[in-house]
Amino acid sequence: MHLDDRSATPLYLQLFEQICRRIEEGDYASGTKLPSIRGLATDLGCARNTVEGAYRLLVQEGYVESRPGSGYVVQNVAYLHRNAEAESPRRNGSAAANRAGGESASNEPRETVAEGTPGNHTSDLIGAPASPIRYDFTYGNLEPGTFPAAAWRAITDDILLSVERAGCDAYNDPFGELRLREAIAWRLVTQRDIDCTPRQIIVQGGTQTSVQNLLALFDAATDAVAMEDPGYDGVRTVVERAHFAVVPCRVDAGLDQFLAEVEASGARLLYLTPSSQFPTCQALPREARRRILDWAERTDAYILEDDYCRDFRYRERSLPPLASMDEAGRVIYMGTFSKSLSPALRINYLVLPEGLLARWRELFAASYSPVPWLNQQVLARFMADGSWDRHVRRVQAKNRRKYETLTRSLQSTMGAKIEVLENGTGLHLLVRVRDGRSQEELVAAARAAGVAVYPTKKYWMHPETAPAGTVLVGFSAIPEPDIAPGIAALAQAWFG
């Protein structure tokens, strides 16, 4: 490693970037101890605070962990967001950006519905007794302070004080701003191996808005929608309000039964969460993905792949998205910024197969993007300058620590009295209490002790078939230091 005193880049950042590169290229393997601060400072001929600053940033970014008595230990970065900072659509262009075609579709909803993401529990608290909640294991919201407010404000100010602000004086692109769609397409092509172009991407105002608009491409009189059961009730509500028949396909009856019910569904659209099935957290195996793609091609059906939680895996690599395996144009891919950046911004996107683009343009020719121009421009810049990649790595590292603390605390405090249903993915897990108590009893006992956990019945199409004693425990919003005492309080409330 070499530090250049003449460079405009601070020495600690130079060192940080060189160590990052070595970790990403495998020179520093997972579990390797970094040199001591004093030793590295001596080798490089720099001040100790230069090395301390670099190491501190490495911890914040999730590359290393500081362990008392062991120093700084390299983490497994295979599960962190790959660094796209070295190459960006604004500097180099991308295969996806270079293939961009005409932009003429639009997507403002003709009526609005309540927005949400899988498992947002805000409504569960409405009308509940006003007992104080000290430990809230909700799912959907992010931990306070997660949003990168300083960086967002700096980019916003820069745009509004530049010639770009002229965009404020006109209606924005009906598909979404081209710069944002280029940034999204570049990441999908390079990081998720999804063959798409910016013209296929439609910036939307949330999952429910996306589904509502997408259903306009189908016919409620003849087309049924198959859905996982249990599954995300927010999407099911939108489908039912649009008067489509909903066909449940049971994910808790075994994989073969689920696939058989998909085959027998007669559906024209299948809604799936294959990377982390909501709410069971299970990943759909590769062979099952192939069979579902084959079913869609044989029956002229489409698959809506909701990849809402791909950024968060803690044990194994993600399987490739269905969209990356699709060679027949049967997958509609849906991604979101709510889980990593902010649910309040209401920004997600669809990637339409070519066969549906013309129909979308025809239906939404006189509409506009539901996402404000300024938010799109700021997000595009945030992604293009590398801020997005750094932010996602920080959130991934934080959530991995929370996941490990939560699973460890559940095991140490309740052990064999419970079954933890999880798969090392997402931002929540399910806990089943083995003594036969109902969900309602467990939720009430927890709330009386100042702990909020959440019932799961609403995710089953027929709530009476939901397993007894199974509650949802989220960790996206609760601070890490509150997890262990919160689970200890929960164990005391449930088992004394």
Side-chain angles (χ1 to χ4, degrees):
M1 285 181 283
H2 171 73
L3 301 180
D4 184 359
D5 291 323
R6 294 168 297 177
S7 172
T9 303
L11 295 179
Y12 80 96
L13 277 181
Q14 294 182 41
L15 180 57
F16 163 75
E17 290 168 356
Q18 291 180 51
I19 297 175
C20 282
R21 193 175 305 115
R22 290 194 175 191
I23 292 174
E24 290 174 346
E25 293 174 355
D27 294 337
Y28 288 146
S30 175
T32 302
K33 287 178 59 176
L34 293 183
S36 69
I37 292 174
R38 177 181 296 176
L40 186 55
T42 299
D43 290 344
L44 296 175
C46 66
R48 289 177 60 182
N49 62 1
T50 297
V51 180
E52 288 175 350
Y55 281 13
R56 191 160 48 244
L57 194 52
L58 287 165
V59 172
Q60 293 174 2
E61 297 286 346
Y63 281 96
V64 303
E65 181 181 13
S66 176
R67 297 180 183 173
S70 299
Y72 293 87
V73 180
V74 175
Q75 298 298 287
N76 186 351
V77 300
Y79 308 123
L80 295 182
H81 197 276
R82 282 177 283 179
N83 191 348
E85 196 172 12
E87 209 177 352
S88 79
R90 293 186 61 184
R91 288 197 288 268
N92 293 328
S94 68
N98 291 337
R99 295 197 299 266
E103 320 296 343
S104 60
S106 49
N107 54 5
E108 186 176 36
R110 291 162 294 181
E111 70 176 292
T112 59
V113 295
E115 294 300 334
T117 55
N120 190 323
H121 294 287
T122 304
S123 61
D124 290 343
L125 302 181
I126 297 175
S131 54
I133 296 299
R134 173 64 181 86
Y135 304 105
D136 190 354
F137 289 94
T138 188
Y139 166 83
N141 294 330
L142 305 185
E143 182 179 338
T146 297
F147 184 70
W152 197 265
R153 178 178 178 177
I155 295 173
T156 300
D157 290 347
D158 188 53
I159 289 173
L160 291 178
L161 294 173
S162 72
V163 294
E164 293 181 58
R165 69 179 181 273
C168 291
D169 302 318
Y171 287 107
N172 57 344
D173 190 305
F175 254 14
E177 291 305 300
L178 179 59
R179 285 184 179 179
L180 178 56
R181 289 185 285 112
E182 286 177 341
I184 292 170
W186 183 77
R187 276 162 176 77
L188 293 179
V189 170
T190 60
Q191 298 176 2
R192 299 187 183 179
D193 201 27
I194 296 174
D195 185 15
C196 67
T197 68
R199 67 185 295 270
Q200 292 174 261
I201 291 172
I202 307 164
V203 177
Q204 292 279 273
T207 297
Q208 291 177 307
T209 296
S210 298
V211 174
Q212 179 184 345
N213 287 338
L214 183 64
L215 290 174
L217 307 185
F218 298 88
D219 185 353
T222 58
D223 298 335
V225 178
M227 294 192 66
E228 302 159 320
D229 187 30
Y232 175 31
D233 59 315
V235 167
R236 186 170 69 239
T237 297
V238 173
V239 175
E240 291 172 341
R241 285 179 179 172
H243 305 294
F244 281 79
V246 178
V247 182
C249 299
R250 292 172 293 165
V251 299
D252 56 354
L255 183 58
D256 288 340
Q257 183 63 33
F258 171 73
L259 294 172
E261 292 181 3
V262 170
E263 284 278 356
S265 67
R268 187 82 197 286
L269 180 66
L270 169 64
Y271 173 80
L272 282 181
T273 53
S275 293
S276 182
Q277 199 280 326
F278 189 85
T280 67
C281 305
Q282 299 303 305
L284 191 67
R286 188 186 300 263
E287 180 57 32
R289 298 176 187 225
R290 292 196 182 97
R291 289 173 61 180
I292 287 175
L293 286 169
D294 175 68
W295 162 81
E297 186 174 0
R298 283 187 288 102
T299 62
D300 190 30
Y302 287 94
I303 302 160
L304 176 55
E305 179 179 15
D306 187 351
D307 211 9
Y308 70 101
C309 237
R310 172 165 290 273
D311 287 332
F312 303 113
R313 295 190 69 86
Y314 313 112
R315 293 204 301 263
E316 301 172 353
R317 290 183 182 273
S318 297
L319 290 171
L322 277 168
S324 71
M325 304 167 64
D326 178 24
E327 298 178 354
R330 310 315 302 180
V331 177
I332 304 155
Y333 184 84
M334 183 162 60
T336 183
F337 294 95
S338 293
K339 297 295 181 289
S340 300
L341 183 61
S342 169
L345 286 177
R346 309 309 309 136
I347 303 178
N348 79 326
Y349 59 89
L350 293 171
V351 183
L352 289 183
E354 290 286 348
L356 293 178
L357 281 174
R359 177 66 173 154
W360 187 283
R361 295 189 182 104
E362 176 187 348
L363 286 178
F364 297 104
S367 301
Y368 300 96
S369 174
V371 181
W373 171 85
L374 184 58
N375 284 351
Q376 294 190 51
Q377 289 290 349
V378 175
L379 179 55
R381 180 89 66 88
F382 189 76
M383 296 178 75
D385 70 6
S387 298
W388 167 256
D389 301 288
R390 292 190 294 272
H391 172 75
V392 170
R393 283 197 301 271
R394 284 193 293 269
V395 176
Q396 287 172 326
K398 179 193 293 185
N399 285 330
R400 181 175 59 190
R401 292 193 300 269
K402 290 191 198 181
Y403 162 80
E404 291 170 349
T405 301
L406 177 59
T407 52
R408 184 170 58 247
S409 298
L410 286 167
Q411 182 60 40
S412 64
T413 59
M414 292 182 250
K417 298 174 183 177
I418 62 170
E419 179 184 7
V420 179
L421 307 173
E422 55 91 17
N423 195 37
T425 65
L427 297 171
H428 77 280
L429 47 78
L430 300 183
V431 174
R432 184 174 71 84
V433 175
R434 299 180 186 274
D435 61 13
R437 278 179 286 176
S438 69
Q439 295 182 17
E440 292 79 8
E441 289 176 291
L442 295 169
V443 169
R447 183 171 294 277
V451 182
V453 295
Y454 295 88
T456 58
K457 283 185 176 180
K458 66 177 183 177
Y459 304 124
W460 270 258
M461 192 168 297
H462 301 289
E464 66 276 7
T465 66
T470 302
V471 298
L472 184 147
V473 180
F475 55 91
S476 61
I478 190 169
E480 183 184 355
D482 286 350
I483 292 176
I487 294 302
L490 182 64
Q492 179 66 27
W494 280 353
F495 302 111

